[in-house]
Amino acid sequence: MANPTLKLPVIQNWSCHNCGGCCREHLIEITEEEKRRIEQQGWQVSDGISMERPVIQKIAHGRYRLAHQDDGACVFLDEQGLCRIHAKFGEPAKPLACRVYPYAYHPAGNRLAVSLRFSCPSVVQNLGQPVMEQAGTLQNLGSQVVAEKKTETAAPLIHRDSQHGPQQTEWSDFHRFLEAMDAAFADDTVHFAVRLMRVLSWMDLVAQSQFQTIRGAKLDDFLELVSNASVKAQPDNELPVHRPSRMGRVMFRLMTAQFARHDTEAAVRAGLGHRFGLLTAALKFTTGLGTIPVLNGSASVAKAFGSTDDGDSTSRQTARFAAVEREFFCRQPEIDELLSRYFRVKIQGIHFCGPAHYNTTLIDGFHSLALVYPVVMWWSRVRAVRNGRSMVTLTDVQAALATVDHNFGYSPALGNYSALHRVSLLAKLKQITALVGWYSR
Ligand code: SF4
């Protein structure tokens, strides 16, 4: 389909503030054509590039990526945090992956849904030009990202029904689901966790339904019905708080570690030592006893949000697993705004299911997205404890969300069978709802 209509996240602003974070945190795979182009650019020591190793590394047969400097930064990142290819040859000369970040494009019938990665500190903080004003540039980039035939992929499944088989809709009906979900998160008259509980409860009803005959206007009626039922089931300000089960807590802690895992080239180069550290940390997260291990953090998150409120890392305290389970003051309007914007951008941009999220169904993908909330609140609490506070701040949540979204939908560890099975099991045992309630208090 030629020139699909862009579906832009209307609530988001973004401009690059040249923090250099993406050039440190991401390994950039390039095409054969980009490899040829960079080789023809003729980079020399006089350009500030160390020629001790090639600027392009082979990953596997026919697959290449940009090399990194000893400190982990992209080989083309200069001392001012700017890209040398951009400076010398202009923005179009860079690999497409670098030009597109932090945007992500997802074909959706006659639309092209655009989402953003909250691993970029400017996205988390909503800094810069409204995305709506960047439509021309985004259309241009989108046409390069998505080959025409790929816009004709089928809509993700709604769910897999064990009796009636996979539940699939046309794209037009799939968009109806997205619009209903988006409307539920847009309701800022209630606390964010209430909105999330409501959508989780109407997903339970969707999971029990078949959609062979519920289409078009009938689907609108169905979605209105389940939405009204969820509002009745979950009143405005009465969040049910139940301590998650022991099994739920173990599965959840393992997930928090996977979401915060940060494999940069520098970490990978550390080899066995790095793997041993991960194994030791995994054991601690399984038992949930003693002190929470300090994981290899993101340099851009530390630069944008600091490791402590006063920026003094020497004042950092240790955090014990038990300390994170107590009540915190974390229901603040600015935190609700951030979380609601995050969920709406991911839903509008179809960045939580289908090809953008390990080919999961709408329901399974939404369960994974829902878990981002307790995971982010858990890491925000850890940061608060390490700073000697019993109150979670907006900066804590921004730092946690930037860390977690780096992996959401991208980390192989979160997309393998056991990780996805864990999410399904948590949903089946009603532990996602319990975790949302527990970490919202
Ligand atoms: S992380 Fe975001 S703000 Fe920083 S350089 Fe990359 S795109 Fe720009």
Side-chain angles (χ1 to χ4, degrees):
M1 183 166 301
N3 292 328
T5 312
L6 276 195
K7 176 88 177 69
L8 296 173
V10 292
I11 47 174
Q12 182 69 44
N13 303 324
W14 177 76
S15 302
C16 178
H17 290 77
N18 296 324
C19 72
C22 49
C23 315
R24 293 179 185 280
E25 316 294 335
H26 295 268
L27 301 177
I28 302 295
E29 188 162 344
I30 54 174
T31 62
E32 295 265 8
E33 197 275 323
E34 288 169 337
K35 175 177 176 282
R36 270 194 298 279
R37 192 169 73 217
I38 290 169
E39 283 167 348
Q40 284 164 7
Q41 288 168 354
W43 293 96
Q44 306 285 339
V45 176
S46 55
D47 294 310
I49 305 270
S50 161
M51 301 310 284
E52 279 173 22
R53 60 176 85 114
V55 292
I56 292 170
Q57 279 192 351
K58 190 171 179 178
I59 314 170
H61 180 67
R63 289 179 61 201
Y64 304 92
R65 68 171 170 81
L66 299 182
H68 281 240
Q69 305 172 38
D70 287 339
D71 67 353
C74 169
V75 71
F76 291 112
L77 188 69
D78 72 14
E79 296 72 26
Q80 285 76 46
L82 301 174
C83 172
R84 288 188 169 94
I85 303 181
H86 189 145
K88 195 167 176 187
F89 296 101
E91 195 267 347
K94 294 197 291 190
L96 191 56
C98 305
R99 297 175 63 200
V100 167
Y101 184 87
Y103 288 103
Y105 289 87
H106 304 120
N110 59 1
R111 301 182 195 175
L112 187 53
V114 181
S115 178
L116 287 105
R117 296 189 64 177
F118 280 61
S119 47
C120 165
S122 296
V123 175
V124 176
Q125 295 170 93
N126 210 19
L127 298 177
Q129 188 185 23
V131 168
M132 289 305 284
E133 291 175 12
Q134 305 175 39
T137 313
L138 291 173
Q139 185 81 55
N140 185 303
L141 273 177
S143 61
Q144 295 178 59
V145 172
V146 183
E148 282 191 10
K149 57 182 167 51
K150 285 197 178 164
T151 60
E152 289 169 15
T153 50
L157 296 180
I158 303 302
H159 66 99
R160 285 190 181 81
D161 188 292
S162 51
Q163 272 191 328
H164 300 89
Q167 298 298 303
Q168 178 106 52
T169 62
E170 297 291 328
W171 271 112
S172 53
D173 283 340
F174 192 82
H175 290 303
R176 287 183 154 88
F177 279 97
L178 298 180
E179 280 154 22
M181 292 161 77
D182 183 51
F185 283 107
D187 177 9
D188 61 7
T189 59
V190 290
H191 178 238
F192 174 81
V194 170
R195 295 177 236 173
L196 180 50
M197 291 264 197
R198 284 177 179 169
V199 181
L200 279 167
S201 86
W202 68 253
M203 282 289 166
D204 286 347
L205 298 173
V206 170
Q208 294 162 31
S209 309
Q210 290 83 50
F211 296 93
Q212 286 87 353
T213 54
I214 308 176
R215 289 158 193 249
K218 261 193 191 175
L219 181 58
D220 285 334
D221 293 343
F222 169 85
L223 290 169
E224 195 181 329
L225 209 71
V226 291
S227 165
N228 290 342
S230 76
V231 172
K232 276 201 190 116
Q234 177 51 67
D236 281 7
N237 288 312
E238 290 171 37
L239 267 177
V241 174
H242 306 292
R243 187 172 163 84
S245 69
R246 192 169 177 277
M247 192 182 171
R249 294 200 304 274
V250 172
M251 287 195 282
F252 174 71
R253 278 196 308 269
L254 284 172
M255 199 175 286
T256 59
Q258 282 173 334
F259 264 114
R261 190 169 154 175
H262 202 69
D263 293 337
T264 57
E265 174 161 306
V268 172
R269 254 191 252 140
L272 212 56
H274 173 60
R275 286 209 294 278
F276 181 72
L278 285 178
L279 190 65
T280 316
L283 280 173
K284 285 207 113 187
F285 276 91
T286 307
T287 61
L289 297 173
T291 307
I292 299 170
V294 176
L295 300 181
N296 183 26
S298 148
S300 67
V301 169
K303 187 174 170 190
F305 306 109
S307 54
T308 60
D309 278 351
D310 56 7
D312 175 8
S313 59
T314 55
S315 66
R316 189 148 123 164
Q317 302 176 13
T318 56
R320 298 182 72 77
F321 281 98
V324 178
E325 303 303 315
R326 65 174 190 240
E327 255 182 69
F328 277 72
F329 179 68
C330 56
R331 292 187 189 173
Q332 298 153 44
E334 60 271 29
I335 293 177
D336 271 18
E337 184 283 325
L338 168 60
L339 293 165
S340 145
R341 179 161 48 82
Y342 174 75
F343 271 67
R344 294 187 66 197
V345 167
K346 295 288 156 180
I347 290 166
Q348 291 175 9
I350 323 181
H351 209 165
F352 68 98
C353 64
H357 189 269
Y358 319 113
N359 282 316
T360 46
T361 65
L362 176 116
I363 291 188
D364 291 341
F366 183 73
H367 285 149
S368 294
L369 181 63
L371 280 161
V372 166
Y373 172 72
V375 171
V376 163
M377 296 317 290
W378 193 89
W379 279 112
S380 303
R381 288 162 174 242
V382 172
R383 197 181 131 109
V385 173
R386 285 180 179 156
N387 284 288
R389 288 184 272 106
S390 58
M391 175 183 165
V392 163
T393 64
L394 175 63
T395 313
D396 294 332
V397 183
Q398 288 172 327
L401 186 55
T403 302
V404 166
D405 195 56
H406 179 84
N407 287 323
F408 182 74
Y410 293 91
S411 161
L414 290 168
N416 63 30
Y417 173 79
S418 67
L420 294 174
H421 180 65
R422 197 178 295 142
V423 174
S424 301
L425 204 56
L426 284 169
K428 208 166 157 186
L429 299 171
K430 302 280 173 225
Q431 291 301 297
I432 300 182
T433 314
L435 288 160
V436 169
W438 186 253
Y439 291 110
S440 71
R441 69 201 218 290

